[in-house]
Each structure stands twice: as structure tokens, then as C-alpha cells.
């Protein structure tokens, strides 16, 4: 029997409570969540496989990579390098978009179930499909916003590396200039890498609640963009861990660590096949010679393993969305009033 909304306890939760209740929910709904997520993970696998094949064919004909002698036709090599970069960017954009779609579908299943309402996994898929255009528009807005933040965070490292290049050009022939240029380039590369990593982490934290908003609220792209930021902005309780972004960072770090560990363990068969039959992992020709009859099943085993644990991150973001609405908007009081029995007038 499906519990009524009044039988579900809603109150502000500590970070540990969110993780604990999300893990309990994930175990109790493992089968429907697995079925819901498996299709999206298979799409990711197909995209990555197509990218790998395209990369193998492209890199295999680059000068110095076994296809053509090094130093021949630099124009063609530059064009092919640009093609490789374009494929990598396209793959990244698709994978993140597919991640948002999967999170939206899962949130539409998890949040009503968390509130004690009857729901089926197919409703999550229908909601994600019906909101696909809005989700895509919001995603493009987030990419544009993230591009500006990335440029800002990567600017210091780029400037330091630029100074290193200038020092190398102006100090050519002097030992001091060479040492200074190398030091500046190394320091700039480190700062640039830290800035790029910070930009990626900022992106996923800033838009952590975007899929639940699209799943549960009938708002447009710009409204969803602002709404997801408003729920995270500011402080919900005293102390350092009372800030919304800090709470999101802690939750993402814990769940991300679990998923990385699972990915490493489930990916062992695929890495064993690559090492046993491909030898050098950096040699495209050797990797292309690996029998796909062995590699594909090993990779699919990794996909299935990830599909069991990936929903945990979706459940955590959905529970976090409910918790932020309880803290900021009194969702618990709103539902109590909505489900309260009307008073019977006295005779």
C-alpha cells in the first residue's frame, strides 16, 4: 500500500542524514533506479565508443603517430588536431547533457517517492522527454555561463604562462632567462590546471539542483537557471557548513568518491584486456588491434556495474533539493496544510 503524504516525515536534515537516507532509499528502490539509469549509461557508452573509434582513425594518420612520417604536411596535422579537439569537446558536451537528462528523469521518480506519493519510473522518463527542449535551453545557458567563469579562473595561469613564453623569447641565449621562463611556464601550467579543475567543480555545484527544478517545477529555461542558483545561494544555518554551496560540495565529494571507487573496480576487466592485448595504452594502433569480442563485454560489465551505483548521486541531489525547499520555503509546513483534514463544523 502506498503511504500517504502525511505519513512522511519532512524536516531539515543534517548532511550526514541526507547521505544516510539517500543510501537507504537507493537500496530500497535499487531495481527501478537501475532500469531507469541503464539506458542513459548505455547511450554514454555508445558515444564514448564512437569517439574512441574516431580518435583511433584520426590519430593513427597524424604525423609522428605511425600513420605518416613526423614533420610531413603540418597543415593537415593541424587540421586533424583541431578535429580531435572538436570531437573531445563534442563528447564532453553530450555526456554532461545526457547526465542532466538522466538526473531529471530520476528526480521525477525519487522526489515524489520521497514525499510518499505513488510514482513509477516511466513517469520520470516521460517528464524528462516533455522537458527536453527546456532542459536543453537551460543547459546551453549553463554552458555559456560556465565558459565565462572558466575564462576568469584560467586567466591567472594563462598570464603566468604567457610571461614565461615572453621570458623565453626575450632571454634567449642566457641561462638565467631560460631558467626563469621554464619556472614561469611550469607555475603557470599548475595554476591553469587548478583553475580549470575549480571551474569544473563550480559548474557541477552551481547547477546541482537544476535537474530537480526541471523535474518538479513548471518553469522556463531562464527561470530554472535562476531558481537553481537561488536555492543554493546564501546560508541556511549558522556555521561554515550552513552555506548552501558548502553543503552541496560536501555531498558531491562524498558521492563522487564512492562513484570513482566503483568505476575503478568495475573497470578492472576492461583494463586487464587492454593491457593483455594492447600493451602500450598510449599507442592507438596497439589499442585498435584489441579484439572487440573481448573488450566490448568487459566494457559493458563496467557500464552495468556503474548503473547500479550511479543512481545514488541522483538520489542525493533529489534529497538535497527537498531539504533546501524545507529549509528555505517551509515545504514541510506547506504539505501539512495541503493534506490537513478540514475542520468539521459543530452542530
Amino acid at each position: 500500500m502506498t503511504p500517504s503524504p502525511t505519513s512522511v516525515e519532512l524536516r531539515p536534515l543534517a548532511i550526514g542524514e541526507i547521505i544516510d537516507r539517500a543510501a537507504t532509499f537507493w537500496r530500497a528502490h535499487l531495481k527501478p533506479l537501475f532500469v531507469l539509469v541503464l539506458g542513459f549509461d548505455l547511450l554514454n557508452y555508445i558515444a564514448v565508443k564512437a569517439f574512441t573509434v574516431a580518435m583511433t582513425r584520426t590519430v593513427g594518420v597524424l604525423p609522428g603517430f605511425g600513420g605518416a612520417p613526423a614533420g610531413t604536411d603540418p597543415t593537415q596535422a593541424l587540421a586533424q588536431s583541431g578535429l580531435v579537439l572538436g570531437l573531445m569537446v563534442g563528447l564532453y558536451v553530450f555526456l554532461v547533457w545526457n547526465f542532466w537528462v538522466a538526473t531529471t528523469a530520476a528526480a521525477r521518480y525519487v522526489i515524489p517517492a520521497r514525499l510518499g506519493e505513488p510514482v513509477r519510473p516511466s513517469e520520470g522518463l516521460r517528464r524528462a522527454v516533455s522537458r527536453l527542449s527546456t532542459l536543453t535551453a537551460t543547459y546551453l545557458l549553463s554552458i555559456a555561463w560556465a565558459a565565462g567563469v572558466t575564462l576568469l579562473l584560467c586567466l591567472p595561469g594563462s598570464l603566468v604562462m604567457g610571461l614565461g613564453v615572453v621570458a623565453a623569447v626575450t632571454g634567449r641565449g642566457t641561462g638565467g632567462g631560460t631558467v626563469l621562463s621554464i619556472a614561469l611556464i611550469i607555475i603557470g601550467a599548475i595554476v591553469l590546471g587548478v583553475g580549470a579543475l575549480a571551474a569544473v567543480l563550480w559548474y557541477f555545484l552551481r547547477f546541482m539542483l537544476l535537474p530537480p527544478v526541471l523535474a518538479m517545477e513548471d518553469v522556463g529555461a531562464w527561470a530554472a537557471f535562476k531558481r537553481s542558483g537561488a536555492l543554493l545561494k546564501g546560508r541556511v544555518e549558522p556555521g561554515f557548513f550552513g552555506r548552501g554551496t558548502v553543503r552541496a560540495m560536501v555531498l558531491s565529494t562524498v558521492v563522487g568518491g564512492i562513484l570513482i571507487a566503483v568505476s575503478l573496480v568495475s573497470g578492472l576487466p576492461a583494463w586487464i584486456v587492454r593491457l593483455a592485448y594492447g600493451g602500450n595504452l598510449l599507442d592507438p594502433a596497439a589499442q585498435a588491434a584489441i579484439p572487440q569480442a573481448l573488450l566490448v563485454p568487459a566494457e559493458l560489465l563496467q557500464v552495468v556495474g556503474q548503473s547500479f551505483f550511479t543512481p545514488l548521486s541522483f538520489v542525493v541531489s533529489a534529497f538535497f533539493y527537498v531539504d533546501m525547499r524545507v529549509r528555505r520555503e517551509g515545504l514541510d509546513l506547506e504539505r501539512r496544510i495541503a493534506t490537513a483534514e478540514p475542520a468539521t463544523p459543530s452542530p
Side-chain angles (χ1 to χ4, degrees), residues 8 16 23 27 47 135 150 187 194 198 206 208 218 221 244 297 300-301 306 310 316:
V8 176
R27 289 194 300 266
L135 186 149
T150 302
I187 294 173
V194 172
R206 166 60 179 83
M208 181 179 181
D218 295 322
L300 289 177
L301 179 63
Q306 290 177 339
T310 300
V316 168

Side-chain angles (χ1 to χ4, degrees), residues 46-97:
I46 293 172
V48 172
K49 197 68 176 177
F51 168 79
T52 303
V53 173
M55 279 284 291
T56 302
R57 294 179 178 178
T58 303
V59 174
V61 298
L62 284 175
F65 283 91
T72 62
D73 200 355
T75 302
Q76 182 183 5
L78 182 62
Q80 290 171 336
S81 300
L83 176 60
V84 170
L85 180 61
L87 289 173
M88 293 177 64
V89 173
L91 176 66
Y92 177 79
V93 170
F94 172 79
L95 292 179
V96 177
W97 175 84

Side-chain angles (χ1 to χ4, degrees), residues 23-338:
T24 302
F25 182 95
W26 166 71
R27 289 194 300 266
H29 298 79
L30 185 58
K31 182 178 179 180
L33 287 172
F34 169 76
V35 173
L36 186 62
V37 171
L38 180 60
F40 294 100
D41 283 349
L42 288 174
L43 281 178
N44 285 343
Y45 172 72
I46 293 172
V48 172
K49 197 68 176 177
F51 168 79
T52 303
V53 173
M55 279 284 291
T56 302
R57 294 179 178 178
T58 303
V59 174
V61 298
L62 284 175
F65 283 91
T72 62
D73 200 355
T75 302
Q76 182 183 5
L78 182 62
Q80 290 171 336
S81 300
L83 176 60
V84 170
L85 180 61
L87 289 173
M88 293 177 64
V89 173
L91 176 66
Y92 177 79
V93 170
F94 172 79
L95 292 179
V96 177
W97 175 84
N98 192 45
F99 174 79
W100 290 142
V101 177
T103 311
T104 301
R108 186 64 177 188
Y109 171 76
V110 173
I111 295 174
R114 165 76 176 92
L115 299 177
E117 300 174 357
V119 65
R120 310 175 84 177
S122 57
E123 295 180 23
L125 291 175
R126 284 197 294 267
R127 177 66 174 184
V129 172
S130 66
R131 300 285 282 165
L132 203 57
S133 58
T134 303
L135 186 149
T136 303
T138 311
Y139 175 59
L140 294 177
L141 284 173
S142 71
I143 290 294
W145 190 258
V149 173
T150 302
L151 290 176
L152 183 63
L153 293 176
C154 293
L155 183 60
S158 302
L159 291 177
V160 175
M161 289 185 67
L163 291 176
V165 174
V166 172
V169 174
T170 57
R172 183 174 299 174
T174 62
T178 302
V179 172
L180 177 62
S181 63
I182 293 176
L184 288 175
I185 291 175
I186 293 176
I187 294 173
I190 294 174
V191 175
L192 181 62
V194 172
L197 179 61
V200 173
L201 295 177
W202 171 88
Y203 178 81
F204 284 101
L205 289 179
R206 166 60 179 83
F207 299 104
M208 181 179 181
L209 296 182
L210 178 59
V213 168
L214 291 170
M216 301 305 300
E217 304 179 23
D218 295 322
V219 294
W222 180 245
F225 179 86
K226 295 190 297 182
R227 170 77 168 151
S228 61
L231 285 172
L232 275 177
K233 187 178 180 180
R235 187 183 299 275
V236 294
E237 63 181 25
F240 175 74
F241 291 98
R243 299 188 64 86
T245 51
V246 174
R247 295 170 65 84
M249 180 178 62
V250 174
L251 292 172
S252 300
T253 302
V254 173
V255 176
I258 296 173
L259 295 183
I260 290 174
V262 170
S263 177
L264 292 175
V265 173
S266 61
L268 284 177
W271 286 113
I272 291 173
V273 171
R274 291 190 183 100
L275 290 172
Y277 290 88
N280 186 2
L281 296 176
L282 301 179
D283 185 1
Q287 293 298 306
I290 299 175
Q292 294 299 310
L294 295 176
L295 183 59
V296 170
E299 291 174 336
L300 289 177
L301 179 63
Q302 181 180 9
V303 172
V304 172
Q306 290 177 339
S307 296
F308 277 107
F309 290 89
T310 300
L312 179 59
S313 66
F314 302 157
V315 176
V316 168
S317 66
F319 274 51
F320 185 49
Y321 166 81
V322 173
D323 183 68
M324 294 302 287
R325 288 199 59 186
V326 168
R327 290 175 177 272
R328 292 191 178 278
E329 302 170 352
L331 178 63
D332 51 339
L333 300 177
E334 176 185 328
R335 290 184 63 81
R336 288 177 190 174
I337 294 173

